[in-house]
Amino acid sequence: MRRVFLVSLILVVTLVLGPAKASDQYITLASTTSTEQSGLFRHIVPTFREATGIDVRVVAVGTGQALNIGRRGDADALLVHDRLAEERFVDDGYGLDRRDVMYNDFILIGPESDPADVAGVDSVLDAFRRIAGAGASFASRGDDSGTHRKERQIWSEAGIEPAGRWYRELGSGMGAALNTAAGMDAYVLADRASWLSFRNRQELTLLHEGDDALFNPYGSILVHPDRHRSVKADLARQWHEWLVSEEGQKAIASFKVRDEQLFFPYAQ
Amino acid sequence: MPSGDNAFMTALQLIVGLDQTLVGIVLLSLQVSLGAVAIAAVLGLPLGAAIALWRFPGRGLLITLLNAFMGLPPVVAGLMVYLMLSRAGPLGSFGLLFTPTAMVIAQCLLVLPIIAALCRQVVEDLWQEYEEQLRSLGTSRGRAIPTLLWDGRFSLLTAVLAGFGRASAEVGAVLIVGGNIDGVTRVMTTAIALETSRGDLPLALGLGIVLMLLVALVNGAAYLVGESARRRAG
């Protein structure tokens, strides 16, 4: 028994200390759930790795949390979507060299029955007003993500302070919010990439798109090495530059889910 | 990974196909959870035994705290470890955040109270039974610990397995300190959470079935080892 015990202990220890991950050259990228869950990184990171030998480890969280991870120095670069917050992040000295990388758009998702009758309206502001007017269930991310901030911005532009039983703050990521919306036949603002790669749609369908207010640009920011000496500034810059290079932009454009392009090159 | 409409078929495909991504995830899950349990056992068993044998001021409070920490929410454990290991935190210079090591530390924090608290109970009961005998042999409390642990090994195995159950089932802690990085810190539970949020419910449930089988396998192995030892011990 003692021997069995010893053997299993040794086994466990080797398992734990065991094979460390091969590539030591890597950066940590804090990005959004929309980009990671769509499968974008699985498509573009191998191309980048082949070109440079650098691996990219993606931590996918809401934009608010991603910026926070950057502020604490726990990531080397960010790829997020909240222009105002990104610029503030740079202005406050936490990051540098914000660049436009790509864009897609937000869309309004809702039940096929469309109780607030938003399918035909011209602007997303009117759509939101109708939802509030009808008191139809609306699922809000409520997690301080880029999508949540966009949603609050639309409410405020529509002149509505959303509150009441119809307005449900979920405090969860895009996928979880879509699952919940599907479960309670609610309207929900989503980014197109998450919607296209989402499989549990049930009665949900796309009801409104194309408004200029729904433009969704993604920006790349380097975490400022002056703040945190541990930041891998050189490696992160290679990634940063590659994203906006011709090769990087081509890799982004060639990513498709079910024959549909999810992100559009936007480097200047 | 495969993806269908039926969770059981998906689970079967995952297992039969020995999906490379899945194998990596399974190995990492075992590595992290078994590692955490091993460390927690090495620390927790002597700790529990020591609390059982010695009387000191504040002992009741310590026991209450230990029992309460059995209910420590994984998210809280994860958050505490995150703040410690973050570059801006006290242990930031080690660069452990978003690595499997961070996940082992977080799970260890969850498992340690369970093993220590259950071990204290087991050893305390045994001590009541054997105290006179051991004392008459002139055995000190410190010397008695290995004997008592050895004597209670079958009950303690259950305590360790309870710890393993906690470690392999939790998602909150590893998600925060590991970051669910594809191929680096993605384990079974975080993969299940990810597939759920992508709305691929059959794949998520399929992974859940695989995880349950895995946990059953580990428990089965522990049972067999325990039984064969018990028989030899007579």
Side-chain angles (χ1 to χ4, degrees):
Chain A
M1 179 67 189
R2 266 178 212 273
R3 203 181 304 151
V4 174
F5 204 78
L6 256 173
V7 168
S8 41
L9 196 73
I10 290 168
L11 204 83
V12 166
V13 170
T14 36
L15 253 173
V16 174
L17 303 177
K21 270 278 149 188
S23 160
D24 328 319
Q25 278 231 328
Y26 69 88
I27 59 165
T28 306
L29 174 74
S31 190
T32 69
T33 48
S34 51
T35 40
E36 161 74 357
Q37 293 186 7
S38 67
L40 174 73
F41 291 114
R42 210 172 278 178
H43 179 76
I44 65 171
V45 165
T47 317
F48 172 70
R49 192 170 45 217
E50 238 164 67
T52 60
I54 303 167
D55 200 8
V56 181
R57 297 185 175 179
V58 183
V59 178
V61 289
T63 290
Q65 201 187 336
L67 290 168
N68 201 24
I69 286 176
R71 227 170 264 133
R72 301 185 64 93
D74 292 325
D76 305 304
L78 309 176
L79 185 64
V80 290
H81 63 149
D82 183 348
R83 179 73 68 86
L84 287 175
E86 289 163 33
E87 279 163 2
R88 199 164 53 239
F89 183 81
V90 173
D91 289 343
D92 291 348
Y94 291 106
L96 69 159
D97 201 17
R98 185 203 169 280
R99 307 259 189 103
D100 284 320
V101 173
M102 60 191 188
Y103 70 90
N104 63 5
D105 59 343
F106 293 109
I107 47 185
L108 183 60
I109 304 295
E112 270 166 29
S113 57
D114 194 10
D117 195 24
V118 303
V121 299
D122 295 331
S123 80
V124 71
L125 296 186
D126 280 341
F128 269 47
R129 287 190 193 109
R130 285 195 183 196
I131 292 169
S137 293
F138 186 95
S140 167
R141 290 277 296 275
D143 65 346
D144 200 31
S145 59
T147 308
H148 182 221
R149 290 177 184 185
K150 176 52 112 182
E151 178 217 311
R152 281 190 316 207
Q153 184 196 334
I154 296 173
W155 284 119
S156 97
E157 279 171 23
I160 293 166
E161 181 62 49
R165 279 190 58 79
W166 60 276
Y167 186 75
R168 318 218 168 148
E169 283 200 55
L170 304 179
S172 51
M174 192 69 255
L178 283 167
N179 274 329
T180 312
M184 58 187 194
D185 282 337
Y187 291 93
V188 58
L189 186 73
D191 65 281
R192 191 181 292 270
S194 296
W195 171 247
L196 285 177
S197 46
F198 184 71
R199 292 168 53 95
N200 180 34
R201 295 184 180 180
Q202 302 181 35
E203 299 300 312
L204 292 183
T205 185
L206 198 168
L207 292 173
H208 188 85
E209 62 183 324
D211 193 317
D212 285 346
L214 295 175
F215 183 60
N216 179 25
Y218 287 79
S220 172
I221 312 174
L222 292 168
V223 173
H224 211 303
D226 288 355
R227 285 266 179 178
H228 299 280
R229 278 176 35 213
S230 54
V231 166
K232 297 171 180 167
D234 292 341
L235 301 183
R237 181 163 284 284
Q238 286 188 52
W239 161 254
H240 190 63
E241 301 285 353
W242 181 83
L243 273 179
V244 297
S245 73
E246 200 178 319
E247 197 190 351
Q249 294 279 297
K250 222 162 43 186
I252 291 168
S254 68
F255 173 59
K256 291 193 173 116
V257 171
R258 287 179 231 159
D259 283 335
E260 206 160 339
Q261 185 175 342
L262 294 198
F263 297 96
F264 298 85
Y266 192 44
Q268 276 131 16
Chain B
M1 277 188 259
S3 171
D5 291 328
N6 182 311
F8 289 97
M9 284 306 294
T10 310
L12 201 68
Q13 271 174 302
L14 283 169
I15 296 165
V16 174
L18 268 184
D19 185 276
Q20 274 309 304
T21 323
L22 180 72
V23 171
I25 292 175
V26 163
L27 283 180
L28 184 66
S29 293
L30 285 177
Q31 205 172 333
V32 168
S33 293
L34 288 177
V37 170
I39 294 168
V42 167
L43 298 174
L45 293 175
L47 176 69
I51 297 172
L53 297 189
W54 274 282
R55 299 286 176 274
F56 49 89
R59 180 171 175 272
L61 183 71
L62 185 63
I63 291 173
T64 311
L65 273 179
L66 211 53
N67 288 339
F69 267 87
M70 288 202 281
L72 179 69
V75 195
V76 177
L79 200 55
M80 289 183 341
V81 175
Y82 177 89
L83 292 173
M84 294 297 284
L85 298 184
S86 165
R87 289 289 186 187
L91 303 177
S93 51
F94 294 105
L96 290 176
L97 194 65
F98 303 140
T99 65
T101 312
M103 298 156 82
V104 172
I105 294 171
Q107 289 200 339
C108 198
L109 204 62
L110 288 172
V111 174
L112 184 64
I114 294 184
I115 293 182
L118 295 179
C119 173
R120 181 203 60 85
Q121 192 62 57
V122 169
V123 173
E124 200 160 297
D125 293 347
L126 283 173
W127 180 242
Q128 272 171 9
E129 204 174 316
Y130 294 130
E131 183 175 4
E132 262 175 62
Q133 201 181 338
L134 285 167
R135 275 184 195 281
S136 69
L137 291 170
T139 315
S140 71
R141 285 169 200 262
R143 286 283 173 93
I145 287 182
T147 317
L148 291 172
L149 286 180
W150 183 248
D151 210 66
R153 60 191 181 278
F154 301 118
S155 310
L156 292 175
L157 182 66
T158 309
V160 171
L161 285 178
F164 176 71
R166 167 106 149 144
S168 58
E170 72 88 20
V171 58
V174 284
L175 190 60
I176 295 179
V177 304
N180 194 22
I181 299 170
D182 194 7
V184 182
T185 57
R186 183 162 299 165
V187 289
M188 289 301 287
T189 52
T190 58
I192 292 168
L194 175 69
E195 293 307 335
T196 305
S197 69
R198 295 180 64 189
D200 199 339
L201 306 188
L203 179 53
L205 196 55
L207 287 167
I209 294 170
V210 174
L211 176 60
M212 282 313 298
L213 288 176
L214 207 63
V215 172
L217 218 64
V218 170
N219 278 281
Y223 176 79
L224 286 181
V225 170
E227 275 304 292
S228 76
R230 201 189 299 263
R231 234 171 288 132
R232 241 177 300 157

